[in-house]
Amino acid sequence: MPGPAYTLNQAEPFKMSRAKLQDFLDCARCFILDRRYAITPASMPSFTINKAIDEYLKVEFDEHRATQTVHPAVASLGKEFVPFAHDKIDMWRKSQGNNAGVRVLHHASNIEFFGAIDDIWWLPNTGEIFLVDYKTTARDVALTELGEAEYQNAYRRQLDMYQWLLRHNGVPVEDRAYFFYATVIKKLPSFEMSLHLEPSLIEYEGSTEWVELKLLEVRAALDNPRLPEPSSSCENCKFVDAASSLE
């Protein structure tokens, strides 16, 4: 088993991804077991089709980034957003590597926080800059509204964290952000070995005030020798408790 990722009161900045902060929000106990003791919860399968669509979207939007034009899918939605050109966009979209992603050293917590964004768009006529996250789903009709399920709230927090990171890297993104959804339409007359995708834009008003507070909570939990209490909604903790009761 690999050694622990964090030692109590370590002086070296602690590197933590956006996904790991979400893990902390989901269950602080599981997060500490993972980051301090290298006891990692069971992993989920990779969503390879979603990732493939993300990559195709990046390639297509990069073509319009180079020409500063509107992507046809965006134009079909009655919008005039243009992919934002920045010399760090490629690095900011990478999830692997020591310097990959958008990174900020938060001095108060001594946490090097980072995350890989999908895209940034802007309106040349107003100068407004917007964070955009690609999402893929499958439904009978295109998704036009985000619900209140916990995983959808996690999507919202994801954009909050990316906004915080970008602003600390000098990109003044608006509070208004967008989910660019590619919906695989399920009910069609035939399949013909191809997926029919319908685009949609879902607007979200971001809020970043909570991010710094949570980074401080993470550091306090990491330096507390006692484990946090299990989350009442954590399936991993419920499984361990149920299994322990049988012994």
Side-chain angles (χ1 to χ4, degrees), residues 25-75:
L25 298 174
D26 291 338
C27 180
R29 185 183 185 89
C30 286
F31 172 86
I32 294 299
L33 288 172
D34 176 22
R35 295 293 85 192
R36 202 164 71 208
Y37 299 102
I39 302 173
T40 305
S43 61
M44 295 290 290
S46 177
F47 296 98
T48 54
I49 293 179
N50 301 57
K51 290 182 178 179
I53 293 173
D54 274 8
E55 290 304 315
Y56 279 125
L57 288 172
K58 287 183 173 73
V59 169
E60 288 197 1
F61 277 103
D62 278 348
E63 293 174 358
H64 291 276
R65 197 182 322 277
T67 58
Q68 285 295 280
T69 52
V70 181
H71 190 287
V74 175

Side-chain angles (χ1 to χ4, degrees), residues 94-129:
K94 292 180 180 178
S95 59
Q96 303 295 324
N98 291 332
N99 296 314
V102 191
R103 310 182 81 90
V104 172
L105 176 57
H106 182 244
H107 293 283
S109 64
N110 202 27
I111 290 175
E112 184 181 349
F113 188 45
F114 63 94
I117 64 171
D118 280 336
D119 215 338
I120 307 170
W121 296 350
W122 74 311
L123 289 172
N125 60 328
T126 66
E128 294 172 293
I129 304 171

